[in-house]
Amino acid sequence: MNSELTSLWAYLEKHRIAIPLIQRDYAQGREGKSALRKRFLKSLKQALTSNQPLLLDFVYGDSCRDDIHPIDGQQRLTTLWLLHWYIAMRAGYLNDATTKSRLQKFSYETRTSSREFCEKLIDWKPQAPTDLKKQIGDQTWFRAEWKQDPTIDAMLRMLSGENGEPDDCIEKGFGEKQLNTYRSWWFSMIGNCFQFYSLDMGTMENVDDLYVKMNARGEQLTDFENFKADLIGYIQKQAEQQNPDDWESFNDARNGIAIKMDTAWTDIFWQQRQDGRIDELYFAFINQVWRSALIVAGDIEGYLMSEEDIQKTVLFQLPDKYEDFDIYENPGRPLDVKNILILLRQTLDNIKSYVTLCALSKDISTSPSWDNRQNVYLIPRYNEGNVIFSNGNVGGEKERLIHFALCKFFENNQLNDTAQTQFNDWMRVAWNIVENSTATEIGTMRLLNELGKNANNILDFLANPSSSISSGAAKEQVEEEIAKARLIYNGGTRSNDWNQAIREAESYEYLKGSISVLFSADYRDNTIEKLDQRLKLLENLVNDKTDDYKLIKVLISHLNNAYDLGNNIIPLVKRFETWKQVIVKFFKDVFRDITDDSVQVQVSDQAPQWIQMLANSKLLNQPRGEKILKKYGNKIILYATRKHNWNAYGNVVLDEFHTLPALSTLISGEEIQNAKPIEGTNIFAEWDVFFNKDGQSFMIACGGQLWKKNDSGEWNETENSVNKDTSEDTLRDFIK
């Protein structure tokens, strides 16, 4: 590709610019683009008034004899052409032969009407320099059907604006000046005031394919295009104001950010196009990478932004909608954009290399070993018009973290013979950490960032005793990953048998990557046989056909007598996500102590009442809402509600006053009514137990006190009380 720094005036001296049929209509002047016009016109006017050259990015084109067909840059070229026409008109040079011949070398091939309009505009001189849109519409040469041409409509709006918006058009932004000002501006314009790099891409292979890819964005300017234009402008500004060498690689005409965004990197996203569209995918990916870079940005003195700062940052809160580049340049505190561009370029270059050599762009995704339906994609895709990064049950925080881990692999790893193994190892560790981390999203991402520097040899790194990890996030899971890596690399040689055994255990849906419950505390005491044996024991208990709650009852029955729930809330509903907590968090040490392969429920007579009640009864087998085990004061409560409200219907106080044999005997003998134990148990629900006899109401309070309701409906405590040894005769005497 040949490139040169030029201006529109100099360019038109050598070439005829013909906007090709495949290009979209002129969109910069479209309705609703007032903010975009203001920014661009403001930059142009500032360059004219300050007489400082303005670099306007690249213009890519396909040459055919003396004609240039722009592939990218059409919008800027059209606006520049309209501005040249307007300034020439105001300066009195529109009838000059050279001026007219140059302007005539710009044309649209998208529609005959667009081409004819440009020709007529050059030959027309307005009566007054204001309200150009109305004047043009009143001309006899302006055909009525031209009002339906979106390019002509946009050109008129660029000339005269819309809805009274200030400075959103050429007429308002550049009007009301003296003749000598316009003439000064004219000579600046035909000089070097507005410059751009012209790249002739006619020598490239598959240039027709490039046409399709670069012009598949529809008629409207997309958020991605606006972002890209502002990003390139930012790069050029930094190159002018700072050390040019620091920005040379980003600003390079052949290999810089601009050309890569429109060519090599486009191929990465093209595989996921929908109706020829990729911009939403492109922009979503860059936003995801940029936000992640913001979270982990820092130096030896610490992270650039605190978690509180990040949560307040507009960039972190906005959906993938572009408003202004300011939130990327300065998202709350100074951010080194250059470092993010280095990261983005390195990541996308490596992805491009991987895609080119392996043709895997559609398949770069990852799922956890315990559920291959949960895919997170490196390159997002469309789903019913929306951009998605994942499917299955993945979303939100987990999705962002896994996508970050995917990017870390490609940021730090180029394709080689062992890339697939390295990728599998890294993503396995990343999934395990993300699934089992109790840290915040920001803390977990910073941990992955630290580990990701070794993504291409993560198990080697973890197994090495000299390796250090400064992050304290997901500490227990990281310690487990270190232990597993040392088992896999025991003696310095990779053991595929250990690797396979560990992956199989991690894939068990009730463990989800956290398998330390299957290990001895000292990883050196573990063998593959022991691991398999412990896994089978767990599976047998979970899948016991005689009792769905066999595992929980066994674990509870093996608790130490002195076991105290403390402030723990233990979920007991048989679901993957809740039982996993029970197994790997609350009862890990208990399970480790169970060695009998045919283990049964064995409750000591000395065990606390709540342990005996849960382990020996069918209480857990009853459908009781959330089944949350929690301490309330000095009582242990089996809650039936999500809110853990002790007085809600269906809660059970697990103490001796709720298993009164005397009360059960009187009920079975039908001497009292209404009080019924929970089905299949001898346990009474609720905080207090109510019952009736001969139209009178009685209550046994949780503390054992006996109450009777008088004729006025008031409860009166009696001097009597009961305990678990109270006989039915004693209780019968009370209710006579």
Side-chain angles (χ1 to χ4, degrees), residues 50-296:
S50 64
N51 201 26
Q52 294 293 323
L54 176 64
L55 189 59
L56 295 172
D57 198 3
F58 299 85
V59 172
Y60 313 128
D62 173 23
S63 61
C64 180
R65 296 187 179 90
D66 291 332
D67 285 3
I68 292 291
H69 299 118
I71 300 173
D72 189 53
Q74 165 215 358
Q75 305 295 325
R76 282 161 284 145
L77 289 175
T78 303
T79 300
L80 283 178
W81 184 82
L82 288 171
L83 184 61
H84 276 68
W85 175 86
Y86 180 82
I87 298 299
M89 180 266 294
R90 297 299 303 266
Y93 296 136
L94 200 56
N95 290 329
D96 177 75
T98 301
T99 301
K100 184 171 290 190
S101 65
R102 292 273 181 99
L103 293 178
Q104 286 173 339
K105 293 172 75 173
F106 178 89
S107 178
Y108 264 79
E109 294 182 354
T110 53
R111 289 183 178 86
T112 302
S113 55
S114 300
R115 181 172 66 252
E116 292 179 353
F117 173 77
C118 292
E119 294 170 353
K120 293 293 185 181
L121 190 63
I122 295 169
D123 291 331
W124 174 69
K125 184 177 180 181
Q127 294 180 343
T130 58
D131 205 3
L132 296 173
K133 181 177 180 179
K134 184 178 186 308
Q135 287 190 65
I136 292 171
D138 290 340
Q139 300 305 305
T140 56
W141 52 263
F142 187 87
R143 300 178 184 177
E145 62 266 25
W146 286 4
K147 294 180 180 180
Q148 307 304 316
D149 185 319
T151 291
I152 296 175
D153 180 65
M155 284 182 167
L156 293 175
R157 190 172 288 103
M158 177 60 80
L159 286 172
S160 291
E162 63 176 328
N163 302 327
E165 286 283 337
D167 300 331
D168 73 329
C169 63
I170 292 173
E171 185 180 304
K172 297 173 186 174
F174 294 84
E176 300 180 3
K177 301 296 180 184
Q178 298 296 321
L179 180 63
N180 60 347
T181 299
Y182 288 112
R183 292 185 172 178
S184 174
W185 283 356
W186 174 252
F187 289 111
S188 293
M189 282 178 47
I190 65 176
N192 295 317
C193 188
F194 305 135
Q195 295 178 304
F196 53 85
Y197 284 103
S198 166
L199 273 72
D200 181 1
M201 308 182 78
T203 58
M204 288 187 63
E205 296 182 5
N206 301 319
V207 71
D208 290 340
D209 182 52
L210 187 62
Y211 264 117
V212 174
K213 291 179 181 178
M214 295 181 66
N215 294 282
R217 290 162 179 153
E219 296 181 342
Q220 296 285 354
L221 284 174
T222 66
D223 284 335
F224 172 68
E225 287 179 295
N226 292 330
F227 164 80
K228 185 187 72 172
D230 287 348
L231 172 62
I232 301 307
Y234 174 84
I235 291 173
Q236 292 165 352
K237 180 180 177 182
Q238 299 307 306
E240 294 172 3
Q241 297 181 353
Q242 300 184 27
N243 184 353
D245 293 341
D246 291 343
W247 295 87
E248 181 179 2
S249 64
F250 302 123
N251 209 26
D252 183 75
R254 294 173 177 81
N255 203 37
I257 293 291
I259 184 67
K260 285 194 171 187
M261 290 182 91
D262 281 338
T263 55
W265 296 346
T266 297
D267 292 340
I268 298 171
F269 299 89
W270 190 247
Q271 296 290 342
Q272 302 301 337
R273 66 189 180 278
Q274 184 178 82
D275 300 328
R277 290 166 34 231
I278 63 168
D279 278 22
E280 295 90 347
L281 306 179
Y282 217 147
F283 191 48
F285 179 88
I286 289 177
N287 269 331
Q288 192 95 300
V289 172
W290 207 291
R291 289 167 183 154
S292 299
L294 171 64
I295 289 175
V296 301

Side-chain angles (χ1 to χ4, degrees), residues 387-400:
V387 176
I388 61 169
F389 280 90
S390 66
N391 63 15
N393 296 322
V394 185
E397 177 179 320
K398 189 181 297 184
E399 173 190 280
R400 292 189 294 270

